[in-house]
Amino acid sequence: GESVGLHLPTLSVQEGDNSIINCAYSNSASDYFIWYKQESGKGPQFIIDIRSNMDKRQGQRVTVLLNKTVKHLSLQIAATQPGDSAVYFCAGLGGGSYIPTFGRGTSLIVHP
Amino acid sequence: DAGVTQSPTHLIKTRGQQVTLRCSPKSGHDTVSWYQQALGQGPQFIFQYYEEEERQRGNFPDRFSGHQFPNYSSELNVNALLLGDSALYLCASSLWIGQGTNEQFFGPGTRLTVL
């Protein structure tokens, strides 16, 4: 089955810096990816998604990059704010499944 | 418009007991999925319900069972609780895939502690 993992369990940044969170996936059949943000005491919240026919997608202050050659995606957060502090998960879907497979997550800590 | 709601918020049980967790989907949604999230891990898919039937199931034993009601709300039941069942149980609602959307909206979860 799908295996989705993250390179770095914890990322600490200063307020105002740009943050980059990385994720690797193993299932070549994955064709849709989602980034989620989970704040303490809450469920995961959809941030941004990308389909495999794209290599970049931008939202408000966030950008997702997809490199299918090396099965890697990243989430870039511009001008990181204290409210961005949370655990971020990437999840992959595809190969006939509409159920997201989550990795372990990266904890983003933003210092004021 | 209420989002996904879950009850109870927290629950403490002892080994061998049984537990029932409840979920009400976001208004307009007809599909409910349940996930188990161990501390420090990502959510793991348990099963999904649509039209009151289990449609997909993850790699969880038969001790985990569920139900969906005509109003789309759902229950997750776990029998013969083990210490390893301690986790955050998340419910996510969505529209059935045949209607063209995959986006799931998650509830805040129920924190289950098994002693």
Side-chain angles (χ1 to χ4, degrees):
Chain A
E2 169 84 45
S3 173
V4 181
L6 299 178
H7 293 307
L8 196 65
T10 303
L11 177 63
S12 292
V13 300
Q14 291 295 129
E15 181 178 0
D17 286 352
N18 295 332
S19 302
I20 299 176
I21 301 172
N22 296 304
C23 176
Y25 64 96
S26 60
N27 188 349
S28 300
S30 295
D31 56 10
Y32 178 58
F33 302 89
I34 304 172
W35 280 99
Y36 290 92
K37 173 186 180 182
Q38 187 173 23
E39 297 175 276
S40 180
K42 298 183 179 180
Q45 177 186 8
F46 175 96
I47 300 173
I48 192 169
D49 59 357
I50 189 168
R51 297 198 177 274
S52 60
N53 60 353
M54 305 171 67
D55 53 19
K56 180 179 180 179
R57 190 164 189 219
Q58 288 184 295
Q60 186 175 16
R61 283 201 307 117
V62 294
T63 301
V64 56
L65 300 178
L66 175 62
N67 185 329
K68 295 181 287 296
T69 302
V70 295
K71 299 178 186 173
H72 179 273
L73 65 160
S74 65
L75 176 70
Q76 301 178 1
I77 305 174
T80 313
Q81 303 169 359
D84 295 327
S85 294
V87 177
Y88 290 81
F89 295 95
C90 69
L93 297 85
S97 173
Y98 289 86
I99 302 300
T101 299
F102 289 81
R104 279 190 58 198
T106 291
S107 176
L108 176 64
I109 301 171
V110 183
H111 301 283
Chain B
D1 176 25
V4 181
T5 59
Q6 293 186 243
S7 63
T9 306
H10 295 86
L11 201 54
I12 299 175
K13 292 284 188 179
T14 57
R15 281 178 295 176
Q17 284 189 312
Q18 178 265 345
V19 68
T20 297
L21 311 181
R22 295 176 177 82
C23 171
S24 291
K26 180 180 170 65
S27 178
H29 284 179
D30 57 9
T31 303
V32 173
S33 303
W34 286 93
Y35 293 79
Q36 179 193 67
Q37 186 177 22
L39 197 62
Q41 303 293 320
Q44 299 297 308
F45 174 69
I46 303 175
F47 43 53
Q48 181 179 75
Y49 276 83
Y50 168 67
E51 289 189 331
E52 302 178 50
E53 293 185 8
E54 183 182 294
R55 299 291 177 159
Q56 293 191 66
R57 189 179 182 93
N59 188 26
F60 279 81
D62 292 345
R63 298 187 297 110
F64 290 76
S65 63
H67 188 77
Q68 186 180 34
F69 300 94
N71 67 353
Y72 307 121
S73 67
S74 177
E75 288 182 350
L76 164 66
N77 301 292
V78 186
N79 295 322
L81 284 167
L82 303 173
L83 295 179
D85 294 331
S86 295
L88 180 69
Y89 287 85
L90 294 163
C91 169
S93 76
S94 58
L95 282 173
W96 182 241
I97 56 177
Q99 300 190 33
T101 178
N102 299 328
E103 184 174 355
Q104 297 188 335
F105 291 79
F106 285 84
T110 293
R111 172 71 62 188
L112 172 65
T113 301
V114 182
L115 302 177

